[in-house]
């Protein structure tokens, strides 16, 4: 239960912080704050609840490697949103970008599991 609470607080806190920054400073800076890896941080913090010693180190490394790939895919998705929304409108552009993100993520997950 503690892990869920930590994830909720970090994720929700990141959303609130990026919203406040967007309103006070501007949407571009708010977008940078919105990219804060709250889920990654929460996962690392709560991993400690499940593992200790060398197992904790090994799981942290695997989690971090996955986070690097995930963040790269998120960057590509954000670039696709900018491009597609400008070309096709926000609804269609956002839908296509998220569909692309999902497809690439699932392909990567399949490849990393079976190859």
């Amino acid at each position: 239960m503690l892990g869920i609470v930590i994830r909720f607080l970090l994720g929700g806190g990141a959303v609130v912080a990026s919203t406040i920054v967007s309103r006070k400073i501007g949407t571009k800076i708010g977008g940078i704050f919105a990219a804060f890896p709250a889920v990654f941080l929460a996962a690392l913090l709560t991993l400690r609840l499940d593992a200790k010693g060398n197992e904790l180190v090994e799981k942290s490394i695997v989690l971090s490697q996955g986070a690097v790939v995930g963040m790269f895919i998120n960057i590509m998705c954000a670039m696709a949103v900018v491009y597609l929304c400008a070309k096709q409108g926000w609804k269609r552009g956002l839908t296509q970008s998220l569909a692309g993100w999902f497809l690439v993520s699932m392909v990567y997950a399949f490849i990393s599991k079976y190859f």
Side-chain angles (χ1 to χ4, degrees):
M1 190 64 168
L2 180 61
I4 292 171
V5 171
I6 291 172
R7 288 180 184 106
F8 174 79
L9 291 175
L10 284 174
V15 170
V16 169
S18 66
T19 301
I20 291 170
V21 168
S22 290
R23 290 182 181 168
K24 298 287 183 186
I25 300 174
T27 55
K28 287 187 180 181
I29 301 297
I32 292 169
F33 275 85
F36 176 75
V39 173
F40 173 64
L41 179 60
L44 278 176
L45 290 174
T46 57
L47 188 60
R48 177 66 174 104
L49 301 173
D50 299 328
K52 294 178 182 157
N54 287 336
E55 182 186 12
L56 176 62
V57 172
E58 290 171 15
K59 287 185 175 187
S60 296
I61 290 169
V62 171
L63 179 68
S64 298
Q65 290 169 338
V68 168
V69 173
M71 289 177 194
F72 177 75
I73 294 170
N74 286 344
I75 290 168
M76 295 297 107
C77 180
M79 291 170 55
V81 167
V82 170
Y83 177 78
L84 293 171
C85 285
K87 295 289 183 185
Q88 301 180 8
W90 75 270
K91 288 180 185 177
R92 192 168 188 185
L94 183 60
T95 301
Q96 289 175 347
S97 299
L98 292 176
W101 168 86
F102 182 75
L103 178 66
V104 170
S105 297
M106 290 299 106
V107 168
Y108 176 76
F110 177 79
I111 288 171
S112 67
K113 183 172 181 165
Y114 294 109
F115 295 102

